[in-house]
Amino acid sequence: MAEVGERNAGNVMTAIKAAAALSWAAVAGISAAGLLVLVHVAAASFVAPPRLGSVAAISVVVLVLAWHLRVDTPLMRRQTTAAMTAVVIVCNDLTAPLHQTVAVVGVGLLASLVIFRRFRWANLYWFISRLLAAAILVAVFQHALATGIIWPVALLAGWLAFFLTAIAVESAFTTSSRRRSTFRNGIDWPPALGMLAINLLLCLAGQHTAQQFQRDGVQAFFLVFAAVLALAVTGWLRNRDLRRRLTGLVDASLELPWSSDGLDKTLLTAASASVRANQVILRPEAPADMEIGVRMRHWDDGNNYLVAFRNGGAQFTEEDEQVLDALAHVGSIMVRHNELVHELRLQADTDALTGLGNRRTLWRRLAEINTGRGPGEAIAVVYLDLDEFKSVNDQHGHDVGDLLLTATAQRIRSEIRQADVAARIGGDEFVVVLRDVGTEHDARAAAERIAAAIARPLTARGNTLQVQASIGLAYSGRPAKDIEELLRNADARMYGNKRLQQRLRESERAGSGSETILAVAVERGIRRHRLRVALQPIIALDLDAIVGFETLARYEDEELGNIPPDQLVAEANRLGLLNELTIQVIDGAAAAMARVSGITDLRSISVNVELGQLTSGSTVVDRLRRMRAEGPELNVIIELTENSLDTMTEECRIMLAQLRSEGFKIAVDDFGSGYSSMNSLTEFAFDIVKVDRALVSGHDGNARNIVVSHLIAMFTALKADVVIEGIETAEAVEWLAGCPNLNAQGFYFGRPMWPDELIARLETSGKAARPASAWDAHPVMVD
């Protein structure tokens, strides 16, 4: 196969060389014949000078104008003045001596070269070839008349000989000199033949005029008429083409700047209109025969060809190629412009080291996600901070630190979905926005997966590194009014976890062993009954007084310090100690309420219980029942988190019904933090709904009043009380004041307090919603 290919290639090269040799021979022959014609004309003109009349003078002027204006047929576009030359020759006296007409043509062409300073050797060649063609036309005509052929047929024979000579000269010269051929894009035959037919008719009319009227004035008038007509028609055609091309360029320019989406459409539409092509396309292949095209920069692979072609192989002109070239150039500029704009925007929105978004991108994308999500779509903001990153820079250098940051970014990308957002907002701080995460448990699981991926060992510059990431998570079940609050909450929780991790590492370095220090601390606290309870007051707004309390678990380890409640509960659950933790909270609540009952008539106490703990034979259920038995006057409220309602089983539903029948009240806590609460609330009876702070936070009081009013109306119809959580300011109390039968809870009325502090408040201020006491300004417990 290779031998066949080489043989075919050799044959093609041989054919090309043969064609070039024949072309050089033809050019040499034509040149020699043309020189002989020049010598003959010069000699004959010396013996018998040509007659210079008005026809000859006008012929010279017409040839000069034709050369200047490039008045050509499509067959000879821009390369010759053959059409007007034929008319000039015929309108002169063809029966006169040969040198008479040839001399007129020669003077006209020579005058064009002199006037327009076209002294290139190629133009000299055209000059000689045109003289030869003119001599052939006259010689064939005179020879045909001498043989008795009537003059129209004789003129047709001479006319054909003239144009065949012009075509042969064109082909031979362009092939031998490797110049751009007039016919490189094919011939638009219908217009070409039409123009040649018009030229032939003009020649026949001119010869008829010369035969019928032997006066120079009539012949001169006809020549002027023919020249003006030809110039007018050709000028009109050229102006039409010029307007078409300019229109395409202007329309394309008016649509600047082109976007990446509209570039191809704008470019192809403008190119098609400008070059009058049947189809213009962008493709990777170069233009073939009968097509025109130009290379241009493109979006996908960097380079493409803008290619135009016409049905039937119709010819394009050089002006068409120039317009196509200009449009491709403008298109390439716009591609580069948009790439630069995209690159600059990317640089402005991207962290240069990791390729993640920066703080600016995070704010914009978080705002878009928050406002664009549906009512049931929950999001989570995960704040991540690398622990002891500074020591990596100090010990191994900043280049290793940069590699660690880059690897961290890659690991974060690998653990999130395409719809999620990741950003680096500080030296070793990252933020991830998780979309459509379902429950808060799902969000926390995703955050832990990211942290686990970051903690995998990494080899950089020969060093094996393993760093941990402290995480903080803020969950949002519905569009938030203040995205800054989401970031603040995630940041605060991250720093709380970071402080805990620092204490854990310090304990490990102090020789505490390889066990999980947090697990040991939690287990130690529960097993040794070191948990404490804090109580936060619940206020009836219409009474402006305390009506009950919520019990909250707190634990401060002797080694780790204060352990956040969410970590305490999560770790206890993981260790299988959640029942023990809940029982200790119930015991603490019972003891605290025994003291409260001694100085006031307040009897309502809420206890947080996981739904899964309410099963038959559960120790938690047994302890709750014993609490009621020991204090029958107590109003014990069992609080269930909204997110836990997803795990509702038939056994839990039966147990809830039994507990309600025994006098317990059931409350749904954190209503509004999840998305499944409405469905779950219709599946069992409940007594109280505690509305999550996220549902009513913000600055639009009217909107909040509408939301709270409808909630109160809905839950009142369901015979349930409403407690609004997270009340921290006087303004929040003001916009709730108009809502009847409403309870509230938050830092504005009191932070969680130890039982001793609660007793002190009740003894000094009674049930007042907000006493002016010093302790409230310096609370010992933080929720």
Side-chain angles (χ1 to χ4, degrees):
M1 293 296 293
E3 294 179 356
V4 173
E6 292 178 357
R7 191 181 305 113
N8 291 336
N11 293 337
V12 171
M13 292 301 300
T14 302
I16 293 174
K17 292 179 180 179
L22 290 175
S23 298
W24 275 111
V27 170
I30 293 171
S31 300
L35 290 174
L36 290 176
V37 170
L38 278 176
V39 172
H40 171 72
V41 170
S45 298
F46 182 77
V47 175
R51 181 172 56 86
L52 300 177
S54 58
V55 174
I58 292 174
S59 297
V60 171
V61 174
V62 169
L63 286 173
V64 171
L65 290 175
W67 184 282
H68 176 58
L69 297 176
R70 310 289 203 284
V71 183
D72 312 314
T73 64
L75 184 63
M76 297 293 177
R77 191 83 175 171
R78 264 197 178 279
Q79 304 299 325
T80 74
T81 55
M84 287 306 301
T85 302
V87 175
V88 167
I89 295 170
V90 171
C91 287
N92 281 270
D93 187 2
L94 292 181
T95 59
L98 178 66
H99 72 279
Q100 169 69 34
T101 305
V102 175
V104 171
V105 174
V107 170
L109 295 178
L110 186 60
S112 298
L113 290 174
V114 173
I115 293 173
F116 301 113
R117 299 181 180 180
R118 302 175 186 273
F119 291 116
R120 292 174 296 184
W121 71 273
N123 290 329
L124 182 60
Y125 174 74
W126 294 125
F127 171 72
I128 295 174
S129 64
R130 291 302 170 268
L131 287 181
L132 176 61
I136 289 175
L137 189 156
V138 176
V140 170
F141 178 79
Q142 290 181 350
H143 180 73
L145 285 180
T147 58
I149 298 176
I150 60 176
W151 72 267
V153 178
L155 178 63
L156 178 61
W159 184 85
L160 289 175
F162 174 86
F163 277 99
L164 288 175
T165 302
I167 293 173
V169 169
E170 166 75 11
S171 300
F173 181 75
T174 54
T175 302
S176 59
S177 62
R178 297 183 180 179
R179 293 170 62 89
R180 293 161 63 88
S181 172
T182 300
F183 315 112
R184 62 189 178 279
N185 299 315
I187 299 174
D188 197 355
W189 283 109
L193 293 176
M195 293 296 293
L196 291 176
I198 294 173
N199 183 260
L200 176 60
L201 291 176
L202 288 174
C203 289
L204 289 173
Q207 183 58 28
H208 178 73
T209 301
Q211 294 242 336
Q212 295 297 321
F213 304 97
Q214 299 296 325
R215 289 176 291 181
D216 287 349
V218 177
Q219 296 178 45
F221 174 79
F222 179 81
L223 182 59
V224 171
F225 170 77
V228 170
L229 178 63
L231 291 173
V233 172
T234 307
W236 177 77
L237 292 174
R238 287 176 59 79
N239 288 335
R240 184 194 63 179
D241 291 345
L242 179 62
R243 285 195 301 270
R244 172 170 47 82
R245 296 185 184 99
L246 285 177
T247 299
L249 286 172
V250 170
D251 289 345
S253 300
L254 289 176
E255 294 191 31
L256 294 175
W258 300 343
S259 64
S260 57
D261 296 333
L263 171 65
D264 290 357
K265 180 180 178 181
T266 303
L267 182 64
L268 297 181
T269 301
S272 180
S274 298
V275 302
R276 200 165 47 86
N278 294 104
Q279 188 172 4
V280 181
I281 59 174
L282 280 166
R283 71 185 190 198
E285 298 83 13
D289 294 337
M290 320 299 284
E291 298 176 341
I292 58 174
V294 61
R295 185 189 296 270
M296 70 165 288
R297 186 181 183 90
H298 198 246
W299 296 99
D300 302 329
D301 50 9
N303 288 292
N304 252 325
Y305 286 90
L306 181 63
V307 179
F309 56 88
R310 293 172 177 165
N311 295 338
Q315 182 191 17
F316 289 101
T317 65
E318 285 189 13
E319 288 91 342
D320 293 331
E321 292 182 281
Q322 291 172 353
V323 171
L324 203 65
D325 192 6
L327 286 171
H329 180 66
V330 173
S332 297
I333 291 175
M334 292 313 305
V335 169
R336 182 56 182 155
H337 168 269
N338 287 329
E339 287 178 345
L340 288 173
V341 171
H342 176 72
E343 184 178 343
L344 290 173
R345 185 178 292 116
L346 196 63
Q347 291 176 359
D349 294 343
T350 305
D351 175 59
L353 177 63
T354 63
L356 298 179
N358 55 19
R359 186 181 295 271
R360 178 173 178 267
T361 301
L362 173 66
W363 276 95
R364 187 185 73 250
R365 294 288 292 120
L366 180 56
E368 293 172 355
I369 292 171
N370 180 61
T371 57
R373 56 177 165 152
E377 181 183 353
I379 66 172
V381 176
V382 181
Y383 217 108
L384 301 115
D385 185 274
L386 301 184
D387 298 334
E388 298 186 330
F389 176 73
K390 184 177 183 300
S391 64
V392 174
N393 279 334
D394 294 341
Q395 294 177 19
H396 304 289
H398 288 279
D399 56 338
V400 174
D402 289 346
L403 291 175
L404 175 60
L405 292 174
T406 303
T408 299
Q410 293 172 349
R411 291 175 176 183
I412 291 174
R413 285 196 193 96
S414 67
E415 295 298 327
I416 64 176
R417 300 161 297 180
Q418 187 174 3
D420 299 332
V421 177
R424 178 188 176 213
I425 62 170
D428 58 349
E429 295 181 348
F430 299 84
V431 173
V432 175
V433 180
L434 301 174
R435 304 187 64 177
D436 198 13
V437 292
T439 66
E440 186 171 0
H441 176 75
D442 298 330
R444 186 169 298 281
E448 290 174 353
R449 285 197 303 270
I450 296 173
I454 295 173
R456 294 197 302 266
L458 169 71
T459 300
R461 311 276 189 193
N463 302 297
T464 300
L465 307 174
Q466 187 170 18
V467 298
Q468 305 290 330
S470 296
I471 61 174
L473 184 139
Y475 178 89
S476 173
R478 54 182 44 81
K481 293 183 179 180
D482 186 4
I483 61 173
E484 186 176 358
E485 184 179 4
L486 285 176
L487 290 170
R488 283 198 307 267
N489 290 341
D491 186 24
R493 292 170 185 173
M494 183 275 294
Y495 275 108
N497 292 333
K498 191 175 186 69
R499 287 192 294 270
L500 176 60
Q501 295 302 321
Q502 288 174 347
R503 290 194 290 268
L504 291 173
R505 284 191 295 273
E506 291 171 358
S507 298
E508 288 185 34
R509 285 194 286 267
S512 300
S514 58
E515 299 174 288
T516 303
I517 305 303
L518 179 61
V520 172
V522 171
E523 184 175 8
R524 179 170 56 235
I526 296 176
R527 298 290 189 196
R528 297 179 182 179
H529 294 269
R530 293 181 177 177
L531 301 185
R532 301 179 66 187
V533 295
L535 286 78
Q536 186 174 29
I538 298 173
I539 309 300
L541 293 179
D542 52 355
L543 300 177
D544 195 29
I546 300 174
V547 291
F549 306 95
E550 179 182 0
T551 310
L552 301 168
R554 295 292 185 264
Y555 174 50
E556 186 170 357
D557 186 68
E558 57 192 18
E559 295 180 4
L560 301 183
N562 184 51
I563 297 178
D566 55 348
Q567 290 195 15
L568 174 65
V569 173
E571 192 65 24
N573 191 24
R574 191 182 68 82
L575 295 171
L577 300 174
L578 186 58
N579 282 354
E580 287 82 348
L581 183 149
T582 305
I583 289 173
Q584 290 185 35
V585 172
I586 295 172
D587 290 341
M593 288 305 297
R595 297 178 63 185
V596 169
S597 300
I599 62 173
T600 181
D601 60 354
L602 294 173
R603 300 291 185 270
S604 182
I605 183 68
S606 298
V607 180
N608 291 280
V609 178
E610 290 291 325
L611 185 60
Q613 296 176 296
L614 301 180
T615 58
S616 178
S618 167
T619 57
V620 172
V621 174
D622 292 342
R623 183 65 187 90
L624 287 170
R625 284 170 171 166
R626 185 155 57 91
M627 181 182 182
R628 283 293 313 280
E630 294 173 351
E633 76 284 358
L634 291 179
N635 176 26
V636 181
I637 302 169
I638 301 173
E639 290 194 11
L640 305 173
T641 60
E642 177 192 11
N643 292 327
S644 70
L645 299 183
D646 292 337
T647 62
M648 176 71 68
T649 64
E650 185 62 26
E651 183 181 8
C652 293
R653 186 178 293 105
I654 293 173
M655 180 56 65
L656 287 173
Q658 289 179 358
L659 291 173
R660 291 187 76 236
S661 67
E662 295 173 9
F664 292 95
K665 290 188 176 181
I666 307 300
V668 176
D669 194 14
D670 299 330
F671 178 85
S673 63
Y675 65 91
S676 59
S677 55
M678 296 306 297
N679 290 332
S680 301
L681 291 179
T682 59
E683 296 179 359
F684 73 97
F686 56 95
D687 303 287
I688 300 170
V689 176
K690 302 186 75 173
V691 178
D692 188 77
R693 61 181 299 167
L695 190 63
V696 293
S697 63
H699 301 286
D700 188 351
N702 292 331
R704 290 199 305 273
N705 280 328
I706 293 174
V707 171
V708 175
S709 298
H710 282 78
L711 286 176
I712 293 173
M714 179 180 66
F715 292 126
T716 300
L718 294 174
K719 298 181 180 180
D721 296 329
V722 178
V723 178
I724 304 297
E725 297 182 301
I727 303 301
E728 298 181 0
T729 64
E731 290 77 12
V733 175
E734 290 178 4
W735 61 259
L736 289 173
C739 302
N741 303 320
L742 189 64
N743 295 341
Q745 178 180 349
F747 291 171
Y748 179 79
F749 302 107
R751 296 174 181 265
M753 297 168 283
W754 302 127
D756 289 341
E757 295 162 343
L758 177 60
I759 294 298
R761 170 176 174 172
L762 294 174
E763 289 177 342
T764 57
S765 303
K767 296 188 291 184
R770 192 172 186 272
S773 57
W775 75 265
D776 199 32
H778 304 282
V780 297
M781 292 303 297
V782 177
D783 188 13

